[in-house]
Amino acid sequence: ATSLDKQLLEGLVVALARLPFSAAVPPPPAACCRDALAKYLQNSKSDDSGANALEAAEVVINVVKRLQKFEWDVSVEEVKHALLKALEKAMGCLMPSIKEHREVNKRIMDFMEELE
């Protein structure tokens, strides 16, 4: 997924963020999810106002919530590691000087606590 162009990758990630919790689809490889989300976040950092990064962090939160619902064929630790890394990357895109970013950062930290 990381070799996809920017628009295709964004479409894939946003579609995954909107995937209904009831959807019966096989889980993608956890490491591929982590890498795709990292690339998606990297592509979203180009805006100086931070609006793109904020939106991208919100999308990553939604993707991780949906990925939690899959029945994985790998160890729980491997999945947890991939999901925590994705959230960590999302936090790295945020700008602490902006109030909305701090609020999303706190939500991510709370979510990470739940995952652990």
Side-chain angles (χ1 to χ4, degrees):
T2 58
S3 63
L4 294 175
D5 81 345
K6 185 178 178 178
Q7 286 183 316
L8 289 175
L9 180 61
E10 181 178 349
L12 178 67
V13 170
V14 169
L16 185 54
R18 294 179 180 159
L19 188 70
F21 287 110
S22 61
V25 295
C32 289
C33 290
R34 179 197 63 222
D35 295 344
L37 290 173
K39 181 71 172 173
Y40 169 72
L41 288 164
Q42 181 182 343
N43 290 343
S44 300
K45 286 169 80 168
S46 60
D47 179 17
D48 287 339
S49 73
N52 288 343
L54 183 63
E55 181 180 332
E58 294 273 9
V59 168
V60 169
I61 292 169
N62 289 332
V63 168
V64 170
K65 285 180 180 179
R66 276 146 182 84
L67 291 175
Q68 281 185 287
K69 303 300 179 186
F70 283 111
E71 289 189 30
W72 297 88
D73 57 356
V74 295
S75 74
V76 172
E77 287 303 311
E78 184 178 337
V79 173
K80 185 167 77 170
H81 176 74
L83 298 181
L84 287 171
K85 281 295 183 187
L87 292 170
E88 184 179 300
K89 292 277 188 188
M91 287 174 62
C93 290
L94 297 172
M95 301 171 152
S97 60
I98 301 173
K99 181 182 178 186
E100 292 83 9
H101 288 232
R102 289 192 304 272
E103 291 169 357
V104 171
N105 190 54
K106 182 179 178 341
R107 284 189 21 231
I108 292 172
M109 289 186 343
D110 291 345
F111 190 26
M112 290 174 87
E113 287 291 323
E114 287 177 31
L115 285 175
E116 292 182 347

